[in-house]
Amino acid sequence: MERTRRALAEFLGTGLLVTAVVGSGIMAARLSPGNIGLQLLENSIATAFALAVLIIVFGPISGAHFNPVVSLADWWLGRRDRSGLPTSDLAVYIGAQLLGATAGCVLANLMFDVPAVTFSATERTGAPLWLGEVVATGGLVLLVFALARTHRASIAPAAVGAYIGAAYWFTSSTSFANPAVTVGRAFTDTFAGIAPASVPGFVVAQLFGLAVGVTALLALYPNAGETGDVPAAPVATAGTGRDA
């Protein structure tokens, strides 16, 4: 029963995150046609605030991972002393996140009267964007687990929201940093979409970012794996592609 409750929290949290990303992207494109910079600003602000709220709501239940990368890091760092995500829950979390991301994208599409599912035609590929994803994901992992290691989980909503809002602007990829949300966003041909063919490259880059973030964490906080106080955080932003 407890596992089901945590899985539901991950499903709803990831779904609502994607709804915020995709929905605010559609709204931004409609309110500010032709002004990509303003669209990105509107999208980033909405996503940062939504993310902070979702962490507050679902954090006490599941840790508010909303992101396979965060779940994998939690499991890996806590595997020796069993302080992190149990192995038996890892697949449950990731499955719930993937399903939630897809459902959240469909919900956003329906709210704005666009087809429930239309695969994106927006190609996002190339070494600069992949490097941006490594940076964005590595920074996210380092932030989340540094907060856990130093027992500052209470500031995670503000800190993670601020990081994602900033990462929209300082990474070439506009900081997807989340395999589940990357997959979910392939189902909308709107401002936040990513072409299905571009998804594998982003996911691989995010996994590299996971390795970078965990390596940096262990170098800076050698005992990081000894804490079970994971504030958690997701992420995936919308963005505009190569020229963002």
Side-chain angles (χ1 to χ4, degrees):
M1 185 64 182
E2 183 62 24
R3 181 181 296 173
T4 299
R5 191 167 71 97
R6 292 197 300 269
L8 179 60
E10 286 297 299
F11 173 83
L12 292 175
T14 310
L16 290 171
L17 174 63
V18 175
T19 298
V21 171
V22 175
S24 63
I26 296 172
M27 180 66 82
R30 292 181 179 179
L31 292 177
S32 307
N35 192 331
I36 295 178
L38 184 55
Q39 291 171 7
L40 189 62
L41 178 62
E42 294 162 346
N43 188 212
S44 64
I45 291 173
T47 300
F49 282 133
L51 178 54
V53 171
L54 291 170
I55 294 172
I56 291 171
V57 173
F58 295 106
I61 303 172
S62 67
H65 292 192
F66 313 152
N67 188 336
V69 163
V70 172
S71 298
L72 283 166
D74 189 16
W75 166 76
W76 176 259
L77 291 168
R79 73 195 187 287
R80 290 182 179 176
D81 58 6
R82 299 182 181 180
S83 63
L85 188 68
T87 302
S88 58
D89 286 355
L90 181 61
V92 174
Y93 266 54
I94 293 176
Q97 292 156 0
L98 288 167
L99 290 173
T102 303
C105 184
V106 171
L107 176 60
N109 287 337
L110 292 175
M111 282 199 300
F112 286 92
D113 196 27
V114 299
V117 174
T118 302
F119 290 112
S120 176
T122 303
E123 294 186 1
R124 305 175 190 263
T125 188
L129 296 188
W130 298 334
L131 179 58
E133 281 301 286
V134 173
V135 171
T137 308
L140 174 65
V141 170
L142 178 59
L143 170 62
V144 168
F145 291 93
L147 292 176
R149 177 65 183 89
T150 54
H151 306 290
R152 293 178 293 166
S154 62
I155 67 170
V160 174
Y163 175 80
I164 291 308
Y168 258 94
W169 295 90
F170 72 72
T171 64
S172 58
S173 63
T174 62
S175 182
F176 283 48
N178 185 326
V181 180
T182 302
V183 170
R185 286 170 52 178
F187 293 91
T188 184
D189 193 19
T190 62
F191 181 80
I194 177 172
S198 299
V199 169
F202 265 54
V203 171
V204 170
Q206 290 155 4
L207 293 175
F208 271 103
L210 165 63
V212 169
V214 168
T215 300
L217 179 78
L218 293 175
L220 294 168
Y221 301 97
N223 299 318
E226 295 178 5
T227 177
D229 183 23
V230 179
V235 165
T237 59
T240 56
R242 293 189 65 90
D243 299 324

